[in-house]
Short mmCIF file of all heavy atoms in Angstrom, two decimals:
data_model
loop_
_atom_site.label_atom_id
_atom_site.label_comp_id
_atom_site.label_asym_id
_atom_site.label_seq_id
_atom_site.Cartn_x
_atom_site.Cartn_y
_atom_site.Cartn_z
N CYS A 132 24.75 55.44 -12.77
CA CYS A 132 23.78 56.04 -11.85
C CYS A 132 23.79 55.23 -10.56
O CYS A 132 24.16 54.05 -10.55
CB CYS A 132 22.40 56.03 -12.49
SG CYS A 132 21.14 56.89 -11.54
N GLY A 133 23.37 55.83 -9.48
CA GLY A 133 23.40 55.14 -8.20
C GLY A 133 22.15 54.34 -7.90
O GLY A 133 22.07 53.69 -6.86
N PHE A 134 21.16 54.35 -8.80
CA PHE A 134 19.95 53.59 -8.55
C PHE A 134 19.38 53.06 -9.86
O PHE A 134 19.75 53.51 -10.95
CB PHE A 134 18.90 54.44 -7.82
CG PHE A 134 18.43 55.64 -8.60
CD1 PHE A 134 17.34 55.55 -9.45
CD2 PHE A 134 19.11 56.86 -8.50
CE1 PHE A 134 16.92 56.65 -10.18
CE2 PHE A 134 18.69 57.95 -9.23
CZ PHE A 134 17.59 57.86 -10.08
N MET A 135 18.47 52.08 -9.75
CA MET A 135 17.84 51.48 -10.93
C MET A 135 16.45 51.01 -10.58
O MET A 135 16.22 50.48 -9.48
CB MET A 135 18.67 50.27 -11.41
CG MET A 135 18.05 49.52 -12.59
SD MET A 135 18.96 48.00 -12.99
CE MET A 135 20.39 48.67 -13.79
N ALA A 136 15.50 51.22 -11.49
CA ALA A 136 14.14 50.70 -11.34
C ALA A 136 13.76 50.00 -12.63
O ALA A 136 13.99 50.54 -13.72
CB ALA A 136 13.16 51.83 -11.03
N ALA A 137 13.22 48.79 -12.52
CA ALA A 137 12.86 48.03 -13.72
C ALA A 137 11.60 47.22 -13.46
O ALA A 137 11.38 46.74 -12.34
CB ALA A 137 14.02 47.10 -14.11
N ASN A 138 10.79 47.08 -14.50
CA ASN A 138 9.58 46.26 -14.43
C ASN A 138 9.82 44.94 -15.13
O ASN A 138 10.38 44.91 -16.24
CB ASN A 138 8.40 46.99 -15.07
CG ASN A 138 7.93 48.17 -14.26
OD1 ASN A 138 8.09 48.19 -13.04
ND2 ASN A 138 7.36 49.16 -14.91
N LEU A 139 9.40 43.85 -14.51
CA LEU A 139 9.57 42.51 -15.06
C LEU A 139 8.21 41.84 -15.24
O LEU A 139 7.26 42.14 -14.51
CB LEU A 139 10.42 41.64 -14.12
CG LEU A 139 11.68 42.26 -13.50
CD1 LEU A 139 12.41 41.23 -12.67
CD2 LEU A 139 12.59 42.82 -14.57
N TYR A 140 8.15 40.91 -16.20
CA TYR A 140 6.87 40.25 -16.49
C TYR A 140 7.11 38.81 -16.95
O TYR A 140 8.09 38.53 -17.64
CB TYR A 140 6.12 41.04 -17.57
CG TYR A 140 4.80 40.43 -18.01
CD1 TYR A 140 3.75 40.26 -17.11
CD2 TYR A 140 4.61 40.03 -19.33
CE1 TYR A 140 2.55 39.71 -17.52
CE2 TYR A 140 3.41 39.49 -19.75
CZ TYR A 140 2.38 39.33 -18.84
OH TYR A 140 1.18 38.78 -19.24
N ALA A 141 6.20 37.94 -16.57
CA ALA A 141 6.23 36.55 -17.04
C ALA A 141 4.82 35.99 -17.02
O ALA A 141 3.94 36.51 -16.33
CB ALA A 141 7.15 35.70 -16.16
N ARG A 142 4.61 34.94 -17.80
CA ARG A 142 3.32 34.23 -17.80
C ARG A 142 3.58 32.76 -17.55
O ARG A 142 4.61 32.21 -17.95
CB ARG A 142 2.60 34.38 -19.14
CG ARG A 142 1.84 35.68 -19.28
CD ARG A 142 1.17 35.78 -20.64
NE ARG A 142 0.03 34.89 -20.78
CZ ARG A 142 -1.19 35.17 -20.35
NH1 ARG A 142 -1.43 36.30 -19.71
NH2 ARG A 142 -2.18 34.32 -20.52
N SER A 143 2.62 32.11 -16.90
CA SER A 143 2.75 30.67 -16.67
C SER A 143 2.09 29.92 -17.82
O SER A 143 1.33 30.50 -18.60
CB SER A 143 2.09 30.28 -15.34
OG SER A 143 0.68 30.23 -15.49
N ILE A 144 2.36 28.63 -17.91
CA ILE A 144 1.73 27.81 -18.95
C ILE A 144 0.23 27.65 -18.70
O ILE A 144 -0.50 27.19 -19.56
CB ILE A 144 2.41 26.42 -19.04
CG1 ILE A 144 2.29 25.66 -17.71
CG2 ILE A 144 3.85 26.55 -19.47
CD1 ILE A 144 2.81 24.24 -17.77
N PHE A 145 -0.23 28.08 -17.51
CA PHE A 145 -1.66 28.07 -17.19
C PHE A 145 -2.32 29.41 -17.51
O PHE A 145 -3.49 29.61 -17.22
CB PHE A 145 -1.88 27.73 -15.71
CG PHE A 145 -1.22 26.45 -15.28
CD1 PHE A 145 -0.11 26.48 -14.46
CD2 PHE A 145 -1.69 25.23 -15.70
CE1 PHE A 145 0.52 25.31 -14.07
CE2 PHE A 145 -1.07 24.05 -15.32
CZ PHE A 145 0.03 24.09 -14.50
N GLY A 146 -1.54 30.37 -18.07
CA GLY A 146 -2.09 31.66 -18.42
C GLY A 146 -2.11 32.66 -17.27
O GLY A 146 -2.78 33.69 -17.36
N GLU A 147 -1.37 32.38 -16.19
CA GLU A 147 -1.32 33.29 -15.05
C GLU A 147 -0.20 34.31 -15.26
O GLU A 147 0.86 33.97 -15.76
CB GLU A 147 -1.08 32.51 -13.76
CG GLU A 147 -2.18 31.53 -13.42
CD GLU A 147 -1.77 30.58 -12.31
OE1 GLU A 147 -0.76 29.87 -12.48
OE2 GLU A 147 -2.44 30.56 -11.28
N ASP A 148 -0.45 35.55 -14.84
CA ASP A 148 0.53 36.62 -15.01
C ASP A 148 1.31 36.84 -13.72
O ASP A 148 0.76 36.74 -12.63
CB ASP A 148 -0.18 37.93 -15.38
CG ASP A 148 -0.97 37.80 -16.67
OD1 ASP A 148 -0.34 37.62 -17.72
OD2 ASP A 148 -2.22 37.86 -16.61
N ALA A 149 2.58 37.18 -13.88
CA ALA A 149 3.43 37.54 -12.73
C ALA A 149 4.15 38.83 -13.06
O ALA A 149 4.76 38.96 -14.12
CB ALA A 149 4.43 36.43 -12.43
N LEU A 150 4.03 39.81 -12.17
CA LEU A 150 4.68 41.11 -12.35
C LEU A 150 5.70 41.31 -11.25
O LEU A 150 5.54 40.81 -10.14
CB LEU A 150 3.65 42.23 -12.27
CG LEU A 150 2.37 42.11 -13.08
CD1 LEU A 150 1.43 43.25 -12.73
CD2 LEU A 150 2.67 42.09 -14.56
N ALA A 151 6.73 42.08 -11.54
CA ALA A 151 7.70 42.44 -10.51
C ALA A 151 8.26 43.82 -10.80
O ALA A 151 8.41 44.20 -11.97
CB ALA A 151 8.83 41.41 -10.44
N ASN A 152 8.53 44.56 -9.76
CA ASN A 152 9.20 45.85 -9.86
C ASN A 152 10.47 45.78 -9.02
O ASN A 152 10.40 45.54 -7.82
CB ASN A 152 8.29 46.98 -9.38
CG ASN A 152 9.02 48.31 -9.34
OD1 ASN A 152 9.48 48.73 -8.29
ND2 ASN A 152 9.15 48.95 -10.48
N VAL A 153 11.59 45.94 -9.69
CA VAL A 153 12.90 45.92 -9.02
C VAL A 153 13.31 47.36 -8.75
O VAL A 153 13.37 48.18 -9.67
CB VAL A 153 13.96 45.21 -9.89
CG1 VAL A 153 15.31 45.23 -9.21
CG2 VAL A 153 13.54 43.79 -10.21
N SER A 154 13.57 47.67 -7.50
CA SER A 154 14.00 49.01 -7.12
C SER A 154 15.27 48.86 -6.28
O SER A 154 15.23 48.45 -5.12
CB SER A 154 12.91 49.72 -6.32
OG SER A 154 13.32 51.00 -5.95
N ILE A 155 16.42 49.14 -6.91
CA ILE A 155 17.70 48.88 -6.25
C ILE A 155 18.60 50.11 -6.33
O ILE A 155 18.42 50.98 -7.19
CB ILE A 155 18.42 47.66 -6.86
CG1 ILE A 155 18.50 47.79 -8.39
CG2 ILE A 155 17.73 46.38 -6.45
CD1 ILE A 155 19.21 46.64 -9.08
N GLU A 156 19.56 50.17 -5.42
CA GLU A 156 20.51 51.28 -5.43
C GLU A 156 21.89 50.79 -5.02
O GLU A 156 22.03 49.75 -4.37
CB GLU A 156 20.04 52.40 -4.52
CG GLU A 156 19.98 52.04 -3.05
CD GLU A 156 19.57 53.23 -2.19
OE1 GLU A 156 19.97 54.36 -2.52
OE2 GLU A 156 18.88 53.01 -1.19
N LYS A 157 22.87 51.56 -5.41
CA LYS A 157 24.26 51.28 -5.07
C LYS A 157 24.67 52.28 -3.99
O LYS A 157 24.77 53.48 -4.26
CB LYS A 157 25.12 51.45 -6.32
CG LYS A 157 26.60 51.41 -6.09
CD LYS A 157 27.10 50.02 -6.01
CE LYS A 157 28.63 50.03 -5.94
NZ LYS A 157 29.18 48.77 -5.53
N PRO A 158 24.88 51.82 -2.75
CA PRO A 158 25.26 52.75 -1.67
C PRO A 158 26.71 53.21 -1.84
O PRO A 158 27.63 52.63 -1.25
CB PRO A 158 25.06 51.92 -0.41
CG PRO A 158 25.21 50.50 -0.86
CD PRO A 158 24.79 50.44 -2.29
N ILE A 159 26.92 54.23 -2.65
CA ILE A 159 28.26 54.70 -3.01
C ILE A 159 29.06 55.12 -1.78
O ILE A 159 30.28 54.93 -1.73
CB ILE A 159 28.16 55.86 -4.02
CG1 ILE A 159 27.45 55.38 -5.28
CG2 ILE A 159 29.53 56.41 -4.37
CD1 ILE A 159 27.13 56.45 -6.29
N HIS A 160 28.39 55.66 -0.77
CA HIS A 160 29.10 56.13 0.42
C HIS A 160 29.75 54.99 1.20
O HIS A 160 30.59 55.22 2.06
CB HIS A 160 28.14 56.91 1.34
CG HIS A 160 27.02 56.08 1.89
ND1 HIS A 160 25.92 55.71 1.12
CD2 HIS A 160 26.83 55.54 3.11
CE1 HIS A 160 25.10 54.98 1.86
NE2 HIS A 160 25.62 54.85 3.07
N LEU A 161 29.38 53.73 0.87
CA LEU A 161 29.98 52.57 1.54
C LEU A 161 31.16 51.98 0.78
O LEU A 161 31.72 50.97 1.17
CB LEU A 161 28.92 51.49 1.76
CG LEU A 161 27.74 51.86 2.67
CD1 LEU A 161 26.74 50.72 2.77
CD2 LEU A 161 28.23 52.26 4.07
#
Side-chain angles (χ1 to χ4, degrees):
C132 186
F134 63 90
M135 176 187 285
N138 290 332
L139 316 182
Y140 177 62
R142 278 179 72 83
S143 77
I144 60 174
F145 305 109
E147 298 168 301
D148 301 294
L150 312 174
N152 174 262
V153 178
S154 180
I155 51 179
E156 65 177 324
K157 171 82 173 166
I159 300 173
H160 64 284
L161 297 178

